[in-house]
Amino acid sequence: MIKSKGYAAKDSNSKLEYWEFERRELGANDVLIDILYSGICHSDIHQVRDEWGGTQYPIVPGHEIVGRISSVGTAVTKFKKGDLAGVGCMVASCGQCENCKSDQQQFCLEKKTVWTYNSKDVMHDHTFTFGGYSSNIVVDADFVLHIPPSLDIKKVAPLLCAGITTYSPLKRWNVKEGHRVGVLGLGGLGHMAVKIAVAMGAEVTMISHSPRKKADATLLGAQHFLNTNDPEDITGFLGYFDFIIDTVSVPHDYNIYLNLLKTRGVHICVGIPASPMEIDGRSIMGGNKILTASSIGGIQETQDMLNFCAQHNILPETEMIDIEYVNEAYQRVLDSDVKYRFVIDMTSIDG
Ligand code: NAP
Ligand code: ZN
């Protein structure tokens, strides 16, 4: 077994604390990664606090991982010792079903998608996985990404979840010049959605309940700012958008935002509030609107996203912290007080 040091929560009310544990031995197709940086995603907080149900404790969160490969299994050809490597939300799947073969491993039809943490590793030893708030990780090489050398490794980690989760639906819906895109919620996912949609040529409007973020939205590339607390602002954008990408992490009224769409406009949910929300059927029927959602992205698509970000010089806005600060950082995410993603320097676990 391989020794690892991490930060774990013991139950839904406890803080993350230092914890030592073991990872499985390196298999023929695996790589061992010494973790350098780990992003903090709101999904980490939802799961640490068991807001989605089913969390297994202790939980070591973290699915925006960048590190350096320290060892490779005998059958690995894509990576060598010393390479930079990225890991996102998944670490294994069956690889054989229609969805895995079409780069949708997150929807493995054999129900063998293994998430990076808080997930039974049905493809290996059937233990629960531990994520990136740790010193190292063992991952099947097919689920490891190459980091383009032009990207600053101190900032790249959030692309592995926030980046792919916003790139994937924007790509799928072929967002391009001439489209009006509204991004709802300026947080980790939202700020990546703005940057990526702008790079795809769209006109972007930031839709936010935090008027203090207006100047930042402009700096990120948004051309308009809609303050959701201001009814007049909302009226000014009725029937305006081709697409809204909804990153809000708490329950909110979809019906308001569906009214902001053009005829046949598309509202794409990527935020995962902990409780269900009501929709008035007439909000989508009037104008044949589409209400849809999107879950992360496939492994090849994640590599494509990294290459797209390298090509367009896109990186997240980050605040680097030591691991000891992680509990304060969680509170600041909940208070919408992060610009716009925390990245943990995982070497700080050694003090
Ligand atoms: P985040 O950084 O906390 O951003 C969420 C944003 O939601 C906030 O910045 C805020 O934007 C808005 N918000 C927060 N509280 C609000 C409130 N009370 N009323 C209205 N708006 C509020 O979170 P994140 O890491 O971007 O994640 C966002 C959501 O996406 C989470 O639910 C996460 O679990 C989910 N997620 C989904 C996927 C997927 O595959 N679909 C992947 C990753 C994450 P403003 O201040 O601008 O209003
Ligand atoms: Zn995430």
Side-chain angles (χ1 to χ4, degrees):
M1 299 293 269
I2 295 169
K3 289 193 183 310
S4 191
K5 296 176 266 188
Y7 261 55
K10 306 280 161 48
D11 59 57
S12 62
N13 294 314
S14 56
K15 294 190 166 185
L16 292 158
E17 286 175 351
Y18 182 79
W19 186 56
E20 292 181 356
F21 60 101
E22 290 182 331
R23 302 226 181 241
R24 69 166 191 273
E25 289 295 348
L26 210 61
N29 295 312
D30 293 332
V31 297
L32 174 64
I33 302 171
D34 286 342
I35 298 177
L36 295 169
Y37 303 106
S38 209
I40 296 181
C41 177
H42 205 119
S43 301
D44 301 344
I45 303 175
H46 288 306
Q47 289 175 86
V48 163
R49 301 188 170 193
D50 200 17
E51 290 172 359
W52 295 340
T55 296
Q56 287 285 323
Y57 296 94
I59 177 174
V60 177
H63 59 204
E64 296 182 335
I65 302 169
V66 168
R68 206 172 277 287
I69 292 187
S70 57
S71 190
V72 298
T74 50
V76 174
T77 54
K78 284 199 317 186
F79 293 94
K80 59 181 187 323
K81 187 176 172 183
D83 285 351
L84 280 175
V87 179
C89 299
M90 300 177 276
V91 287
S93 72
C94 89
Q96 305 300 320
C97 73
E98 198 183 318
N99 283 355
C100 286
K101 284 187 169 164
S102 58
D103 197 41
Q104 300 178 90
Q105 302 87 350
Q106 70 272 43
F107 307 126
C108 176
L109 294 171
E110 298 299 319
K111 298 202 184 311
K112 289 183 175 166
T113 307
V114 181
W115 307 104
T116 305
Y117 63 85
N118 192 27
S119 176
K120 193 184 267 192
D121 191 348
V122 291
M123 292 302 295
H124 299 95
D125 56 5
H126 290 255
T127 61
F128 272 78
T129 53
F130 298 119
Y133 300 4
S134 58
S135 53
N136 57 21
I137 190 165
V138 176
V139 185
D140 182 322
D142 290 340
F143 284 77
V144 179
L145 288 311
H146 290 281
I147 306 296
S150 66
L151 292 176
D152 178 355
I153 57 162
K154 293 186 170 164
K155 287 180 170 278
V156 77
L159 296 181
L160 278 320
C161 176
I164 182 60
T165 301
T166 48
Y167 172 88
S168 178
L170 291 168
K171 188 84 184 156
R172 172 184 170 183
W173 289 96
N174 195 21
V175 166
K176 56 182 189 299
E177 197 175 340
H179 283 143
R180 290 170 172 173
V181 174
V183 175
L184 180 54
L186 181 45
L189 267 57
H191 94 293
M192 289 314 308
V194 174
K195 289 190 180 208
I196 294 170
V198 167
M200 290 175 171
E203 180 210 281
V204 176
T205 300
M206 190 67 239
I207 310 173
S208 168
H209 86 309
S210 308
R212 68 179 190 281
K213 295 180 182 173
K214 184 173 180 178
D216 283 354
T218 307
L219 287 175
L220 293 167
Q223 292 177 22
H224 308 290
F225 188 89
L226 191 172
N227 173 5
T228 56
N229 299 316
D230 182 345
E232 271 184 34
D233 245 14
I234 292 186
T235 310
F237 283 90
L238 288 174
Y240 188 83
F241 298 107
D242 297 284
F243 300 97
I244 291 177
I245 180 153
D246 179 346
T247 76
V248 174
S249 52
V250 296
H252 53 287
D253 187 353
Y254 286 138
N255 303 290
I256 296 172
Y257 304 105
L258 289 164
N259 286 329
L260 304 184
L261 291 173
K262 286 181 184 170
T263 300
R264 302 182 80 180
V266 184
H267 184 108
I268 306 157
C269 301
V270 290
I272 315 172
S275 48
M277 297 184 278
E278 278 186 10
I279 301 214
D280 182 336
R282 291 168 296 184
S283 305
I284 35 180
M285 244 170 251
N288 281 1
K289 289 166 187 172
I290 297 169
L291 176 62
T292 183
S294 192
S295 171
I296 51 169
I299 295 298
Q300 181 55 49
E301 191 179 25
T302 305
Q303 190 65 59
D304 295 345
M305 175 277 306
L306 288 168
N307 298 344
F308 176 91
C309 289
Q311 190 190 342
H312 293 271
N313 205 13
I314 295 175
L315 280 167
E317 304 301 314
T318 55
E319 179 176 336
M320 184 75 75
I321 60 167
D322 285 350
I323 187 68
E324 291 80 8
Y325 187 72
V326 68
N327 295 297
E328 284 95 323
Y330 270 28
Q331 191 53 51
R332 284 184 50 198
V333 173
L334 293 168
D335 295 340
S336 293
D337 176 26
V338 48
K339 290 184 169 183
Y340 279 91
R341 201 59 144 184
F342 286 112
V343 172
I344 308 166
D345 175 354
M346 280 317 310
T347 61
S348 63
I349 203 156
D350 289 319

